[in-house]
Amino acid sequence: MTKIKSLEDLKKMQAGLRKQIELREKGENPDAHTQIRVAMATCGIASGSKEVMDYLMEESEKRNLDVVVTQAGCMGYCHSEPTIEVTLPGEEPLTYGNVDKKKADEILEKHVKLGQLVDGIIPVTHKTIEEKK
Amino acid sequence: MAKHKMNLMVCGGTGCYASAKGDLVKALSEELEANDLSGEVQVITTGCFGFCEKGPIVKVLPDNTFYVEVQPEDAEQIVKEHVIKGRKVEKLLYKHPHTKERISDSVHMDFYKKQIRIALRNCGIVDPESIDDYIAREGYQALGTVLGELGPQKTIDIMKESGLRGRGGGGFPAGLKWQFAKNNPSDEKYVVCNADEGDPGAFMDRSILEGDPHTVIEAMIINGYAIHANEGLVYIRAEYPLAIKRLKIALNQAREYGLLGKDILGSGFDFDIQIRYGAGAFVCGEETALIQSMEGERGEPTVKPPFPAESGYRGKPTNVNNVETYANIPVIINKGASWFASIGSKNSKGTKVFALAGKVNNVGLIEVPMGTTLREVIFEIGGGIKDGKKFKAVQTGGPSGGCLTHKHLDTPIDYDNLIKVGSMMGSGGMIVMDEDDCMVSVSKFYLDFTVEESCGKCSPCRIGNKRLYEILERITDGKGKKEDLDKLRNLSTVIKEASLCGLGQTSPNPVMSTMDNFYEEYEQHVTDKKCAAGSCKSLMSYHIIAENCVGCTACARKCPVNCITGEKKQVHEIKQDLCIKCGNCMEVCKFNAVTII
């Protein structure tokens, strides 16, 4: 194994190794990052949510976006799969339906990067358990 | 290799190892393999999450799901439900002790809300057997900064400014200790990591070494460089096999990367670390006894001065620091002294790790900022007293500390405050007691420990503690006299003042603090011959309440010594001279007809 010869070497090495723990670090403090949850139930997977999730993960990394992509269960919008839920830090979550790679690209570029809303938002009409209380 | 979407963090601490009924990592990996998911989901063994009460713990990242009491047979459900379908496995989520609600992630658990993890920062995130994980978390960068930019004196100045005090118990300022060792000229110097964690129920140091061994190694190298020492020793008790194994792996990895050995990071500084095993004597946690033991002598303390900073291991200047103290150091260098000094209370900076145990709902390892109150620790983080019982006392500082009570609950925990109220920080054991605990028995328990562990070198400790124990035994046996209480106090004072080392100087603390806070309980034992908590067997007897007894014979059948007599449907009676006070009769009676007097 090669020896680390200087602080510069060490820092370079750290930069290379960061990726392997980034996922864990972000998870420790989820509210500080943009969170994207992809509905990955049977209906979602059948309509291509797995590909969308992979795309979101790869692209946000390529574009250097501070995003945590996680998978969720069925969100109930089976008519509009794949659905994803985007939560910017400190904001309310918004749900998008019929997300393909093109849509995902738009969401990353506009919503995540600039905070602009994109067409395709599914309005929330139901009440959550928290609200009932 | 595909990028991992999800990490399953499996606790690899001794506590969770012990409570797992098989190999959890293997079960999860196999299940992932079977579902063709090994490329997407990674299973990682990590350090202690602290929530030992509900182990084994599996945490799913990045969604932060916190699964408790996970057994290998649950692997299938975790993979099929959570990993594949994204649905959390309800039955494995933590249940709130009062509201009974399932809590889906660690962010919302009371246990974690008040905690700041500095010393434990990597426990639960890195794989302790991977130096790459540690480097990814800015590991060894503090060392790089110290070697390349700061130099020895500036490093020590940062330590002083940070206000870091020794976490082993004494609370001596670490920077000052380093300065003394640096100022003593010598051709050879040593740094020693004290991993001889001896307090009953304490496992802070073990968890750090098991979960993040590299942080200790990094800090030891920094320590060595700052005081001009080229050799480090870790004195660890042989009862910590997992910590030893992980430390050895970490040492080898550091050597392979050139972070230990000759010319570290091109600085020209040489340093290496050896491991020394302790045989588990409590007194060897005392630094002079520890040094004696490392030299192959009997583990007995020596008179200070000379302090180890002048004449320690092999008669050379030696710097002994505790594991947890070390775990703070790389962060202090990376984030700065003022950052560290901004956390904590006026004279105690930073955080402290406690092993919370006893009658609380959430037993485990916690790290809280100095100045957090006992109430916050016990009732918020600890989730209150088990089974809805009443809080009675909390013991801090192990056998050297004392018992605190209701009136101390709002005391902010730090070195000075705890001493002021008659206890001490110690290494961080915290044992909570409820109404069923008898304070005389508690101090007898700690005395029993000290009598066992006294090295025998000085008579106040060797003989005094034994006599102290005998008096306590007399009292709990119901043979105590009123004068015994004064004797206890006087003898305690003498032992404290006349003993050679910290062990004897603090051993009467449990007695003195319980006498201060629970004097009426001692009085009750000697004058009324009663133990209100019902734990001193000699002072209680079981009786049958005639009005409640229906004569079902259940108690008589359960009694192992056949001391309960009575016909069917007739009131029964317990023969006191035969009764061994096992309590079976009380347990089995459905009519509340058995009582303790």
Side-chain angles (χ1 to χ4, degrees):
Chain A
M1 204 175 283
T2 44
K3 302 223 174 216
I4 306 171
K5 294 269 190 314
S6 67
L7 182 55
E8 274 58 56
D9 281 3
L10 185 71
K11 283 189 172 158
K12 257 184 238 157
M13 194 172 164
Q14 192 227 349
L17 291 168
R18 275 215 66 71
K19 288 278 172 250
Q20 76 181 45
I21 60 154
E22 207 168 34
L23 192 65
R24 290 177 236 166
E25 283 188 341
K26 281 182 178 170
E28 280 296 304
N29 193 5
D31 296 337
H33 315 278
T34 298
Q35 299 174 62
I36 301 183
R37 293 168 69 222
V38 184
M40 290 274 271
T42 309
C43 49
I45 297 172
S47 344
S49 61
K50 205 164 183 318
E51 287 73 27
V52 172
M53 183 168 176
D54 288 343
Y55 179 82
L56 283 167
M57 288 180 82
E58 280 162 26
E59 288 302 311
S60 49
E61 191 187 322
K62 264 190 219 155
R63 299 175 199 188
N64 231 344
L65 295 171
D66 187 17
V67 175
V68 195
V69 185
T70 55
Q71 56 180 15
C74 179
M75 293 187 192
Y77 307 111
C78 307
H79 50 83
S80 307
E81 292 292 350
T83 31
I84 70 167
E85 184 191 83
V86 182
T87 315
L88 297 183
E91 288 184 28
E92 289 297 305
L94 286 167
T95 311
Y96 288 98
N98 298 314
V99 182
D100 53 10
K101 285 188 186 172
K102 200 166 145 250
K103 194 72 187 169
D105 169 60
E106 203 184 342
I107 291 169
L108 285 179
E109 281 303 310
K110 292 198 176 149
H111 189 146
V112 176
K113 254 192 204 170
L114 309 168
Q116 294 169 357
L117 302 189
V118 182
D119 280 348
I121 293 179
I122 304 176
V124 180
T125 48
H126 63 274
K127 283 200 162 58
T128 61
I129 310 174
E130 281 81 28
E131 280 168 320
K132 255 193 245 163
K133 277 177 191 166
Chain B
M1 189 182 78
K3 191 176 159 133
H4 294 300
K5 273 183 200 158
M6 199 184 262
N7 286 313
L8 301 178
M9 312 298 294
V10 180
C11 178
T14 297
C16 285
Y17 253 4
S19 53
K21 292 189 196 115
D23 192 338
L24 207 48
V25 175
K26 193 166 150 245
L28 285 166
S29 307
E30 281 173 1
E31 193 59 36
L32 288 169
E33 188 75 43
N35 288 284
D36 209 13
L37 286 165
S38 326
E40 292 179 32
V41 182
Q42 201 181 5
V43 183
I44 297 162
T45 308
T46 185
C48 183
F49 289 102
F51 205 54
C52 312
E53 168 81 8
K54 297 281 177 192
I57 307 286
V58 174
K59 189 170 177 180
V60 185
L61 287 174
D63 63 25
N64 241 318
T65 309
F66 199 84
Y67 287 134
V68 298
E69 293 176 337
V70 183
Q71 293 299 345
E73 62 262 27
D74 300 318
E76 188 182 342
Q77 226 182 343
I78 292 180
V79 171
K80 294 237 159 94
E81 282 292 304
H82 192 134
V83 179
I84 298 178
K85 294 180 189 153
R87 287 198 292 247
K88 300 194 175 187
V89 184
E90 190 79 1
K91 68 160 193 175
L92 296 174
L93 293 173
Y94 168 64
K95 206 188 275 162
H96 192 283
H98 305 309
T99 63
K100 305 287 174 210
E101 253 178 279
R102 298 275 180 184
I103 298 173
S104 63
D105 53 41
S106 58
V107 182
H108 292 100
M109 283 166 63
D110 292 338
F111 185 72
Y112 288 105
K113 278 182 188 162
K114 298 247 159 164
Q115 295 201 44
I116 298 181
R117 286 163 77 102
I118 298 176
L120 298 172
R121 67 195 177 281
N122 288 328
C123 289
I125 295 184
V126 304
D127 174 353
E129 295 182 10
S130 158
I131 189 171
D132 287 351
D133 268 14
Y134 183 68
I135 290 175
R137 296 271 292 170
E138 296 184 359
Y140 290 107
Q141 289 205 5
L143 175 66
T145 314
V146 165
L147 295 179
E149 294 166 23
L150 296 173
Q153 189 52 51
K154 266 198 190 147
T155 306
I156 293 180
D157 290 342
I158 291 177
M159 297 300 300
K160 284 190 205 158
E161 278 164 42
S162 73
L164 176 69
R165 295 170 68 171
R167 297 292 193 247
F172 192 79
L176 220 50
K177 205 169 177 176
W178 289 26
Q179 189 73 64
F180 292 147
K182 177 177 181 281
N183 291 351
N184 285 317
S186 171
D187 51 338
E188 263 173 64
K189 291 184 189 179
Y190 296 93
V191 300
V192 176
C193 172
N194 183 349
D196 188 70
E197 189 172 39
D199 287 5
F203 54 100
M204 294 76 53
D205 297 347
R206 190 193 75 207
S207 292
I208 291 170
L209 284 168
E210 283 174 2
D212 194 14
H214 282 288
T215 190
V216 178
I217 297 174
E218 182 180 4
M220 284 181 75
I221 310 171
I222 294 174
N223 190 184
Y225 177 70
I227 68 160
H228 309 298
N230 299 101
E231 229 184 300
L233 299 123
V234 180
Y235 186 83
I236 185 168
R237 39 182 50 214
E239 294 108 311
Y240 282 179
L242 190 61
I244 292 170
K245 180 184 147 214
R246 297 215 171 123
L247 184 63
K248 277 186 177 165
I249 293 173
L251 286 171
N252 284 332
Q253 289 173 337
R255 281 186 200 116
E256 277 175 28
Y257 274 173
L259 296 164
L260 279 176
K262 299 267 174 226
D263 189 21
I264 297 167
L265 295 175
S267 64
F269 174 64
D270 308 334
F271 192 79
D272 212 332
I273 296 173
Q274 296 178 33
I275 303 180
R276 291 294 162 85
Y277 305 109
F282 181 64
V283 72
C284 290
E286 202 279 338
E287 57 183 3
T288 60
L290 183 151
I291 289 167
Q292 291 277 311
S293 166
M294 287 202 310
E295 288 171 343
E297 303 293 323
R298 280 181 71 147
E300 289 178 343
T302 54
V303 182
K304 293 198 264 191
F307 289 92
E310 302 153 55
S311 169
Y313 184 57
R314 291 182 177 155
K316 305 289 180 187
T318 303
N319 214 184
V320 185
N321 288 282
N322 164 266
V323 172
E324 193 190 331
T325 315
Y326 276 133
N328 280 290
I329 289 168
V331 197
I332 296 176
I333 304 284
N334 283 334
K335 295 203 166 206
S338 50
W339 168 82
F340 188 78
S342 71
I343 302 166
S345 64
K346 189 163 167 270
N347 292 317
S348 305
K349 300 300 183 191
T351 56
K352 178 76 192 84
V353 183
F354 289 101
L356 189 59
K359 309 272 180 69
V360 278
N361 280 310
N362 303 335
V363 168
L365 197 68
I366 62 164
E367 182 169 355
V368 289
M370 298 274 189
T372 306
T373 63
L374 284 165
R375 188 186 298 280
E376 287 172 301
V377 170
I378 298 165
F379 290 93
E380 293 180 36
I381 297 170
I385 308 300
K386 256 192 192 147
D387 305 324
K389 297 250 167 127
K390 277 213 304 255
F391 166 81
K392 182 167 185 182
V394 54
Q395 216 278 350
T396 68
S400 313
C403 277
L404 303 176
T405 172
H406 282 283
K407 62 178 182 209
H408 304 115
L409 274 179
D410 293 307
T411 308
I413 305 167
D414 68 16
Y415 291 101
D416 313 307
N417 280 340
L418 287 182
I419 288 178
K420 226 181 282 166
V421 294
S423 183
M424 66 183 280
M425 184 76 93
S427 62
M430 196 181 271
I431 297 168
V432 180
M433 295 162 212
D434 69 8
E435 50 195 313
D436 295 341
D437 289 307
C438 159
M439 288 300 134
V440 187
S441 306
V442 166
S443 54
K444 194 178 85 177
F445 166 80
Y446 281 107
L447 248 294
D448 184 29
F449 181 84
T450 341
V451 168
E452 253 329 272
E453 293 292 346
S454 170
C455 74
K457 185 170 180 174
C458 69
S459 13
C461 177
R462 183 184 66 242
I463 303 171
N465 281 323
K466 181 80 184 155
R467 294 290 99 85
L468 209 52
Y469 177 79
E470 285 165 0
I471 300 176
L472 289 169
E473 201 170 33
R474 229 168 29 229
I475 295 176
T476 52
D477 280 349
K479 293 171 196 147
K481 292 184 231 97
K482 191 88 178 91
E483 311 86 87
D484 283 338
L485 300 185
D486 295 328
K487 265 192 210 157
L488 276 180
R489 263 204 212 280
N490 293 339
L491 188 52
S492 293
T493 318
V494 172
I495 296 171
K496 256 177 109 80
E497 280 173 12
S499 289
L500 175 64
C501 82
L503 198 158
Q505 286 158 11
T506 56
S507 60
N509 280 354
V511 182
M512 292 174 95
S513 70
T514 47
M515 286 192 84
D516 285 343
N517 294 321
F518 300 95
Y519 192 73
E520 56 309 333
E521 213 170 309
Y522 277 85
E523 273 185 322
Q524 220 182 20
H525 276 76
V526 292
T527 49
D528 309 344
K529 310 284 180 215
K530 286 271 173 311
C531 171
S535 89
C536 296
K537 286 202 171 158
S538 315
L539 297 181
M540 62 188 213
S541 50
Y542 287 89
H543 295 271
I544 288 175
I545 307 170
E547 303 89 84
N548 291 0
C549 181
V550 297
C552 69
T553 72
C555 56
R557 276 180 280 134
K558 264 279 170 194
C559 179
V561 290
N562 295 323
C563 74
I564 305 179
T565 52
E567 295 299 311
K568 264 186 203 165
K569 298 191 178 169
Q570 300 288 316
V571 173
H572 283 48
E573 194 195 345
I574 300 174
K575 289 254 158 46
Q576 294 303 331
D577 49 336
L578 294 174
C579 177
I580 55 162
K581 295 161 191 172
C582 66
N584 276 357
C585 50
M586 193 164 182
E587 219 166 87
V588 78
C589 181
K590 292 196 173 75
F591 306 96
N592 293 325
V594 182
T595 182
I596 297 173
I597 297 175

